[in-house]
Amino acid sequence: MSYLLVLGGLLLLAGGGEALIRGAVALAARLGISPVFVGLTVVAIGTSTPELTVAINAAMTGTPDIAVGSVIGSNLSNILLVLAATALVQPIIVDPRMVFRDGLFLLAISFGVAMVALTGVITPGQGTAMVVLLVFYLVFSYWAEVVRNAPSAERREAEVAEYKGIPPKFIYAIPAILIGLVGVVQGADFLVQGATEIARSMGVSEAVIGLSLVAVGTSLPELAVSLLAAYRGHAGVAVGNIIGSNISNLLLILGVTGFITETPVAAQIARYDVWVMVAATAIMVPVMVTGLRISRAEGVLFLTAYVLYLVSIFTGLPDMVMSILYG
């Protein structure tokens, strides 16, 4: 039954997240919001909705390791799995502004979250500060992309191309959003229940389940959107989606979760996994600077690194590393 709950949760998260993203993009288009802003904010936050619902559900049901682990693990899978898979479909050409502005901002807040994690808890005050910082980021992004650098009609049409027909008519936008919300909320509930039961029955820590199974499951919307964009010849949009989604994961999800209830951070996550996330983010930015593209070879290296990371957390390597570093 636990495996059926996990499978059902993953399917609902994938389907609900896709419906939510499509409805949000259609609504944003109707309101005349720039596709650049949509990609970095609306789509990014939309693809983070599964992580948000999982984290809040897990934190409120007494499984904070799944809540925090799913966020850190999702950011890792977004970089090492989603971007890598997208690059294998089509090498990703990167917008330089995205590297030096949003990429560096993501790196900075990743390091900041790592420092907070070392304290062992995310307090309501820290959670509030994270949400406020996200609001400032969204306001700045809107000003930078819509006001200061308003795209031409040709650029606007090219950027929105990967979203055409999603949904085909505006009248479907609101129903798509509502259906998507129901799907991700119910899917998150199923996934947390099933993953928790599996973890306990197998003797695997909830942190590891959150960092792996739950993280990959909640990254399905990002994977679907990015692969679709690459297939249609717009692989560059994946970078905006991933960077924006990772920023939302850290500031929105951890912020809201910490604001709702004081959220403890497991020692393994604070001393190992969160620093792997920082390292992956730090590697991603220079890779994009190299020729401003992510090649297929670099995609293979990212995938290899992700497999090695999963092997490490399932074989107890974090405990060995912590014992060496921290005694």
Side-chain angles (χ1 to χ4, degrees), residues 65-104:
D65 289 352
I66 288 182
V68 179
S70 66
V71 172
I72 304 303
S74 180
N75 276 25
L76 273 168
S77 64
N78 281 347
I79 295 173
L80 300 179
L81 174 62
V82 177
L83 273 186
T86 304
L88 292 180
V89 174
Q90 181 188 68
I92 303 173
I93 307 300
V94 181
D95 183 344
R97 292 176 305 155
M98 201 172 293
V99 174
F100 296 107
R101 188 191 68 197
D102 301 289
L104 292 179

Side-chain angles (χ1 to χ4, degrees), residues 1-7 54-68 70 187-215:
M1 187 62 185
S2 300
Y3 291 95
L4 290 178
L5 284 173
V6 169
L7 179 59
V54 165
I56 292 176
N57 187 300
M60 297 301 291
T61 55
T63 54
D65 289 352
I66 288 182
V68 179
S70 66
D189 184 54
F190 286 166
L191 186 58
V192 170
Q193 286 185 47
T196 302
E197 292 174 5
I198 291 172
R200 290 171 178 167
S201 66
M202 297 178 60
V204 178
S205 71
E206 292 173 353
V208 171
I209 293 297
L211 288 161
S212 55
L213 177 62
V214 178

Side-chain angles (χ1 to χ4, degrees), residues 222-278:
E222 286 93 339
L223 181 61
V225 170
S226 299
L227 290 179
L228 180 62
Y231 177 75
R232 292 178 174 175
H234 301 280
V237 75
V239 177
N241 290 343
I242 295 307
I243 290 179
S245 181
N246 280 16
I247 290 172
S248 297
N249 284 349
L250 294 176
L251 298 182
L252 175 64
I253 299 171
L254 291 183
V256 170
T257 304
F259 173 77
I260 292 176
T261 179
E262 189 169 274
T263 306
V265 180
Q268 174 188 323
I269 294 176
R271 297 180 178 181
Y272 179 78
D273 303 286
V274 74
W275 294 104
V276 177
M277 178 195 71
V278 172

Side-chain angles (χ1 to χ4, degrees), residues 3-227:
Y3 291 95
L4 290 178
L5 284 173
V6 169
L7 179 59
L10 291 175
L11 292 175
L12 283 173
L13 283 172
E18 181 71 2
L20 184 62
I21 294 165
R22 296 183 179 195
V25 170
L27 183 62
R30 176 67 174 179
L31 296 176
I33 300 175
S34 168
V36 178
F37 184 68
V38 169
L40 285 169
T41 57
V42 177
V43 174
I45 292 176
T47 55
S48 293
T49 304
E51 288 93 334
L52 178 61
T53 51
V54 165
I56 292 176
N57 187 300
M60 297 301 291
T61 55
T63 54
D65 289 352
I66 288 182
V68 179
S70 66
V71 172
I72 304 303
S74 180
N75 276 25
L76 273 168
S77 64
N78 281 347
I79 295 173
L80 300 179
L81 174 62
V82 177
L83 273 186
T86 304
L88 292 180
V89 174
Q90 181 188 68
I92 303 173
I93 307 300
V94 181
D95 183 344
R97 292 176 305 155
M98 201 172 293
V99 174
F100 296 107
R101 188 191 68 197
D102 301 289
L104 292 179
F105 179 72
L106 173 60
L107 180 58
I109 63 171
S110 296
F111 182 78
V113 166
M115 298 304 295
V116 170
L118 284 178
T119 67
V121 65
I122 302 174
T123 65
Q126 292 167 335
T128 301
M130 291 178 184
V131 174
V132 170
L133 183 58
L134 177 63
V135 172
F136 277 111
Y137 167 73
L138 294 177
V139 171
F140 176 77
S141 294
Y142 181 82
W143 173 79
E145 295 292 350
V146 179
V147 178
R148 188 182 66 176
N149 296 311
S152 64
E154 293 80 7
R155 177 183 163 194
R156 186 184 299 265
E157 181 178 353
E159 288 164 349
V160 81
E162 59 271 12
Y163 304 122
K164 285 183 178 178
I166 314 178
K169 295 182 180 179
F170 173 70
I171 193 173
Y172 300 138
I174 300 301
I177 290 174
L178 294 177
I179 292 172
L181 284 172
V182 172
V184 295
V185 170
Q186 191 60 60
D189 184 54
F190 286 166
L191 186 58
V192 170
Q193 286 185 47
T196 302
E197 292 174 5
I198 291 172
R200 290 171 178 167
S201 66
M202 297 178 60
V204 178
S205 71
E206 292 173 353
V208 171
I209 293 297
L211 288 161
S212 55
L213 177 62
V214 178
V216 172
T218 54
S219 291
L220 290 178
E222 286 93 339
L223 181 61
V225 170
S226 299
L227 290 179

